[in-house]
Amino acid sequence: MRAWTKEERYRVLKSAEEIRPLHERTAKSDYRQQYHIQSVTGLLNDPNGFVFHNGLWHLFYQWCPWGAVHGLKYWYHTVSSDLVTWKNLGACIRPDTEFDNKGAYSGSALPTGDSVYLYYTGNHRDEDWTRKSYTCLALLKDDGTAEKLPPLYGPNPGYTEHQRDPKIIYRKETGKYYIVLGAQTLDKKGRVIIYSSDSPTGDWSFAGELKVPGFEDFGDMWECPSIETISGYDVLLFCPQHLTLPGRGGTVHHNGYLLGHMDWESLTFLPDNTSFHVLDFGFDSYAAECAANPNDQTKATLVAWMGLPDAEYPTDEEDWSGCLTLPRELRVRDRRLIQQPLDALRALRGRKLDLEASALLPRVCEMELISRGGDMSLRLFAEESGSGGLAIVYDDEAKTITVDRSGLKRRFNVDQGEMRVRALPKGLFHLRIFIDRSSVEIFVNDGDAVFSSRIFPAEGEDRLRIEGDASLHLWELKRAVEDDFVV
Ligand code: FRU
């Protein structure tokens, strides 16, 4: 990809017309998704402000309008009534004040009565490019615009310039509101810091650093932290950076969680055990955000960026990149988070295909496979000869499932490793696979593990190959996102 100057990356968008030709070009790409939220132009990264309010789900994403490059970030707004079909509403929080002059960075939302408050990081840079982070507040109005309120507080001098991604939380037991933020100590260790207040818009003060015994030296920055209560467990979700983990290849940025108990009085998260669990075993997943389930407090809905920081994707050459994962239902089972596709997604199913008649694999489909035991091997987007493609292999003796994308012609992020393995001690019994034009999400054993990955099938990669004893169902899926140009 070409080199971008700072001026190009941080250019302010003055009118939609400046990017209309880019959108028109982007919309023609063979890799545009049909049921995943994706960048309207340019780059998408983290999901933000995921919330249900007055019958509507709001989901924003980090958006850099100009190309597949991290630069000036906006909050782009999408809405849905069913978490399946999404509508573009346009840029909502724009980096147009002194506090967010170099980007409206990630954050979260809080519905209160008729309003939704949006908490985000104002990424300010001085003339000499020194960074200062502000925790900013905006009020989402009925017409979809955001009215900015004064920032809640500025940078905390006890930490480096890396402090961001406010997650707003209300706790009944203390009657307080909390904002948890990702931060870096002066000696470069990842941390969560916490602010508290009696009201969402009131006076906020620094409450302290979150103590997480056993995780004092675990990566140099923790991005996008959140503390959720799901099925009676407290869950600390975060993205530790610059850390290698077994089985994660060369990837140094991870999204994972600890299960345990959160004490809001002493600001201590006591993990159940010493395991940091990876949230998604695929190649591309980061910055996950949860929304509370309005009808059932034992569950939450999770969505993540199907991408990674410091990574490149084949569509970078087309000047766009990034999509979100499908929203997933999140629960705790056997002391692990499990992620399942939402029931509502069944509404996307179209024609059921008879696989014997054709081994051509549609570019947009859902597959369900029920294993009768033994080894299993699937190749998605193999060549006509049967070779290549994305290999999903279950080894019954080793009790492992492996996803390997090295067989696809368009290889990328090779240095991060092209193979991911997950142990399945109880064997493989079920797979549900969602394929969109440039992604695959594999749900293993009813949500026990999920692998999310971008893939970019090329000319001649259009076959499905299966070996093993299983019954297989395949449906075409309907379109659920439109490439509407709304800015
Ligand atoms: C995570 C992240 C956040 C930040 C945002 C900027 O991917 O780096 O920490 O707020 O992206 O786009």
Side-chain angles (χ1 to χ4, degrees):
M1 200 183 56
R2 74 180 176 88
W4 288 70
T5 63
K6 203 188 271 179
E7 285 68 33
E8 287 173 318
R9 289 196 285 137
Y10 288 91
R11 181 173 156 194
V12 174
L13 184 66
K14 299 218 173 82
S15 115
E17 293 315 306
E18 292 174 293
I19 51 170
R20 186 184 290 278
L22 181 59
H23 174 77
E24 282 166 7
R25 187 152 59 78
T26 302
K28 290 191 190 124
S29 167
D30 186 42
Y31 295 118
R32 288 301 273 179
Q33 301 277 61
Q34 299 213 354
Y35 60 95
H36 286 83
I37 294 170
Q38 63 196 329
S39 60
V40 61
T41 61
L43 176 135
L44 165 156
N45 57 305
D46 312 355
N48 293 154
F50 187 21
V51 75
F52 183 75
H53 183 247
N54 282 349
L56 217 52
W57 291 92
H58 296 265
L59 182 49
F60 305 79
Y61 61 79
Q62 284 285 286
W63 177 47
C64 178
W66 305 110
V69 68
H70 291 272
L72 192 63
K73 297 286 173 70
Y74 294 68
W75 276 39
Y76 191 93
H77 192 185
T78 64
V79 285
S80 172
S81 56
D82 56 5
L83 289 170
V84 177
T85 307
W86 293 93
K87 203 170 142 203
N88 285 351
L89 287 194
C92 180
I93 304 183
R94 294 168 183 264
D96 56 6
T97 71
E98 189 51 20
F99 302 105
D100 56 19
N101 69 345
K102 290 295 176 274
Y105 275 11
S106 285
S108 56
L110 178 78
T112 51
D114 277 346
S115 317
V116 177
Y117 290 114
L118 306 177
Y119 298 78
Y120 70 99
T121 294
N123 184 50
H124 167 91
R125 286 201 189 258
D126 295 341
E127 293 276 285
D128 65 359
W129 212 245
T130 305
R131 192 210 299 254
K132 292 192 184 108
S133 294
Y134 291 87
T135 295
C136 296
L137 181 62
L139 183 64
L140 180 64
K141 300 206 286 191
D142 285 348
D143 64 3
T145 58
E147 179 194 326
K148 291 191 179 174
L149 301 168
L152 300 178
Y153 49 87
N156 186 319
Y159 297 84
T160 71
E161 60 164 20
H162 293 290
Q163 26 186 303
R164 53 181 173 265
D165 309 338
K167 171 77 186 188
I168 175 84
I169 297 169
Y170 174 70
R171 295 304 304 189
K172 254 201 216 126
E173 66 265 39
T174 57
K176 282 196 160 94
Y177 291 85
Y178 297 90
I179 288 177
V180 302
L181 283 177
Q184 182 181 61
T185 61
L186 299 175
D187 60 347
K188 308 266 162 61
K189 311 275 185 227
R191 288 291 185 270
V192 171
I193 56 174
I194 303 185
Y195 287 74
S196 66
S197 170
D198 292 332
S199 89
T201 54
D203 286 335
W204 286 83
S205 54
F206 180 51
E209 189 176 292
L210 180 69
K211 293 175 262 317
V212 192
F215 290 85
E216 291 79 6
D217 192 359
F218 195 71
D220 68 1
M221 166 67 188
W222 290 3
E223 293 191 318
C224 305
S226 151
I227 300 169
E228 309 284 337
T229 302
I230 303 166
S231 319
Y233 285 88
D234 292 330
V235 188
L236 171 62
L237 290 142
F238 61 109
C239 298
Q241 295 199 299
H242 300 112
L243 172 79
T244 49
L245 290 178
R248 302 298 299 158
T251 304
V252 293
H253 306 314
H254 312 272
N255 198 173
Y257 66 92
L258 301 169
L259 280 187
H261 175 72
M262 176 65 198
D263 180 0
W264 289 95
E265 296 287 354
S266 67
L267 301 184
T268 305
F269 188 94
L270 200 60
D272 268 1
N273 60 37
T274 52
S275 304
F276 171 80
H277 302 290
V278 169
L279 197 56
D280 190 307
F281 293 87
F283 299 94
D284 305 293
S285 176
Y286 197 75
E289 194 184 356
C290 286
N293 185 314
N295 304 317
D296 183 346
Q297 291 309 314
T298 65
K299 300 173 192 163
T301 308
L302 176 130
V303 69
W305 169 28
M306 220 190 307
L308 280 182
D310 303 331
E312 290 184 355
Y313 293 90
T315 58
D316 291 3
E317 299 299 333
E318 300 175 354
D319 285 327
W320 70 278
S321 94
C323 69
L324 299 183
T325 64
L326 287 174
R328 292 125 188 224
E329 192 176 277
L330 207 59
R331 285 187 246 209
V332 178
R333 186 172 69 202
D334 296 339
R335 304 182 97 74
R336 284 288 169 88
L337 280 184
I338 62 157
Q339 293 173 60
Q340 285 170 312
L342 300 179
D343 278 346
L345 281 170
R346 290 181 200 271
L348 279 185
R349 286 182 182 170
R351 202 158 56 108
K352 190 162 185 201
L353 298 182
D354 175 4
L355 262 194
E356 305 325 317
S358 155
L360 277 179
L361 180 61
R363 287 282 295 279
V364 182
C365 64
E366 178 193 337
M367 201 182 284
E368 184 165 16
L369 188 139
I370 300 149
S371 166
R372 299 192 193 93
D375 291 349
M376 182 73 51
S377 158
L378 273 97
R379 281 177 182 276
L380 310 183
F381 302 108
E383 290 170 56
E384 198 177 349
S385 65
S387 64
L390 179 84
I392 306 169
V393 177
Y394 170 64
D395 179 333
D396 196 40
E397 205 182 304
K399 297 269 185 287
T400 55
I401 186 163
T402 303
V403 177
D404 181 346
R405 67 177 174 190
S406 65
L408 286 159
K409 289 183 200 162
R410 290 227 154 94
R411 295 169 69 182
F412 56 101
N413 296 334
V414 173
D415 55 334
Q416 308 211 343
E418 294 180 282
M419 201 196 266
R420 296 285 185 262
V421 185
R422 164 70 151 57
L424 296 181
K426 295 186 188 150
L428 174 70
F429 53 89
H430 186 249
L431 288 177
R432 247 178 108 187
I433 304 178
F434 288 84
I435 297 173
D436 206 342
R437 293 193 69 85
S438 54
S439 69
V440 55
E441 288 160 277
I442 306 163
F443 294 85
V444 183
N445 288 349
D446 232 0
D448 185 34
V450 53
F451 292 76
S452 305
S453 304
R454 300 303 303 275
I455 52 167
F456 299 85
E459 187 84 26
E461 292 179 316
D462 54 9
R463 305 285 157 152
L464 171 65
R465 295 284 153 150
I466 301 191
E467 287 165 31
D469 191 8
S471 61
L472 182 74
H473 306 275
L474 193 97
W475 296 266
E476 287 177 340
L477 293 184
K478 296 176 205 148
R479 182 182 263 284
V481 296
E482 298 295 335
D483 240 330
D484 289 335
F485 183 61
V486 189
V487 175

